[in-house]
Amino acid sequence: MSLPRVHLIATGGTIAGVADDPAATTRYQAGSLAGHALLESIPEAHRAASISIAQPFNLDSKDLGPGHWLQLARDVSSALADPAVDAVVVTHGTDTLEESAFLLDRLLPPGKPVVMTCAMRPASAHSADGPLNLLHALRVAASGATREAGVVAVVNERIHAASRLRKGHSHALDAFEHGDSAIGWSDPPGLDGRPEVPARMPSLLGRLDELPRVDVLWVGAGSEPDLLAASISHGARAIVLCLPGNGSLPETWSDAVHKALACHTVVVRASRTGRGRVARQPDDGGRLFAAGRLGPAQARVALMLALAGGLAPDHFFY
Ligand code: SIN
């Protein structure tokens, strides 16, 4: 029997990182190894799938931006359209995985599995987590277990829904286990239930040349509201406010927000807590929205997509 064909797209990150000391877990160069080198460390993978490899870039994910996201979305989309390809796996840095995963989840067609993976320790470290994460990602993809579940990330033996993914720790191996994104296990591959898959719009990808500027402003006690006007003057079409608690807007920001709305800028109330929902308030409406279940990083991507596509700003919120 022929093996499932999995297309591996390597984009960099710590999973491809190298340090000169095998004990180093925080000082290393991300995006050093090519995709074929990652695959060489897990020869068992070839028993699970027939694997092709592409490497559109090899970067630390902090250095990615909308241009890379759209390129990645197009590469994954072309691979999915190939009748010979059964699933796609993407290796990526952990730092901005939530943005890329969210964008892919909204723009790719349902059906064939798309599995992202990453690592907290560089490939050169003793007890590196990358090889097992990649092997599990390839096995999950080849198994078809996440077909119809949208884009997922396989990390530290868990399967996470891209729509809820949040990196919640700066250096722990279980950096993605502090939210509510886990929907299954990778060994053996299986989902705990049928995950909710929010609105997707694959037809949008072909219409996107670039994404508009959307800024995120982190609001602390006593933060100055003049940051809003500065963002708008630099071209932001929408602003996500990363607010205390349940997206609670300080009184001192009220005038600045109303001025921004009057200038046709979209303003979204998100929470800086990292978990939970931001509930609608009586003042929401028009161009002011609550982020709902989206974290600030995801709300920013959702707004970029919606504004670029001429959709309602909250089209991708849920
Ligand atoms: C990156 O995001 O590319 C570096 C950090 C990591 O992958 O853990």
Side-chain angles (χ1 to χ4, degrees), residues 2 22 29-30 63 95 111 115 118-119 153 164 181 183 191-192 197-198 238 260 265 273 284 291 301-302:
S2 63
Q29 184 66 45
D63 297 321
D95 283 351
V115 180
C118 55
R164 295 191 224 146
S181 58
I183 55 169
L191 300 182
D192 294 335
V197 181
T265 308
T273 60
D284 292 344
V301 177

Side-chain angles (χ1 to χ4, degrees), residues 12-15 28 30-31 59-62 92-97 118-121 167:
T14 293
I15 193 167
Y28 56 86
L59 291 169
D60 189 314
S61 73
K62 69 179 168 50
H92 196 285
T94 64
D95 283 351
T96 66
L97 183 66
C118 55
M120 291 300 291
R121 291 182 180 153
K167 183 171 180 181

Side-chain angles (χ1 to χ4, degrees), residues 64 69 72 92 96-105 116:
L64 302 182
W69 300 338
L72 180 59
H92 196 285
T96 66
L97 183 66
E98 56 199 275
E99 280 108 308
S100 299
F102 183 87
L103 178 125
L104 292 182
D105 195 41
M116 304 187 79

